[in-house]
Amino acid sequence: MTGNHREVPHPDEPPLAVDDRGNALISFAPGAEGAPPRDVPLPAALVAVWRADSVLMVFDRWRQGRELPGGRVDDGESPRQTAVRELLEESGQEPDGPLQFIGYAGFVLAPEPRAEYAALFAGRTTIVRDFQADEEIAAIRC
């Protein structure tokens, strides 16, 4: 990439995953929660909440697909705070205990390619709480 867009460092291998809009997951790196990569922005957080051997997914109306709950880090908010907030906002769910920091997912997002990281957190729940569909999220599945 050129200009203001830098690439998330990754080996010379194909992306780990690519969606139908051209967004690519190109790397995953465990790391320290308080020491994020600094080569490209870290504007988002994602959370994987497990119930038994299934992971919670939300159905995003705009993107018309299932994905992990998550979203943009607000001003003054940490990625961990974002993960907790987005999980509750998008799914109505809360983990049974504190979320565990997993690492940093590196993406190249389309249509105008831009590189960024998302902090990934994980947790567990034993109960699926009531869900209320809204203009963003149509359904959850766990």
Side-chain angles (χ1 to χ4, degrees):
M1 286 182 210
T2 59
N4 294 331
H5 304 291
R6 292 171 285 169
E7 289 193 37
V8 176
H10 64 283
D12 293 326
E13 297 178 9
L16 299 170
V18 179
D19 69 14
D20 60 351
R21 291 178 318 281
N23 297 312
L25 170 62
I26 60 169
S27 67
F28 180 80
E33 183 175 351
R38 302 244 183 249
D39 54 325
V40 297
L42 174 67
L46 301 170
V47 60
V49 172
W50 294 87
R51 180 173 177 250
D53 60 354
S54 297
V55 69
L56 171 76
M57 302 292 283
V58 298
F59 187 85
D60 185 282
R61 291 179 193 270
W62 182 74
R63 287 185 283 277
Q64 287 295 296
R66 293 193 188 284
E67 54 192 44
L68 293 174
R72 292 278 183 216
V73 176
D74 288 342
D75 288 338
E77 188 176 54
S78 72
R80 175 176 292 278
Q81 290 167 323
T82 300
V84 171
R85 175 181 54 77
E86 289 285 346
L87 175 63
L88 185 59
E89 285 177 6
E90 292 187 352
S91 71
Q93 308 307 300
E94 295 182 53
D96 290 344
L99 293 174
Q100 177 185 358
F101 176 74
I102 304 298
Y104 299 98
F107 295 92
V108 173
L109 302 175
E112 184 178 313
R114 74 180 186 278
E116 64 184 43
Y117 288 103
L120 179 61
F121 295 85
R124 293 203 157 272
T125 189
T126 51
I127 346 170
V128 176
R129 292 160 178 81
D130 289 339
F131 168 74
Q132 183 76 29
D134 63 20
E135 62 279 347
E136 180 185 6
I137 304 300
I140 65 170
R141 185 174 197 178
C142 187

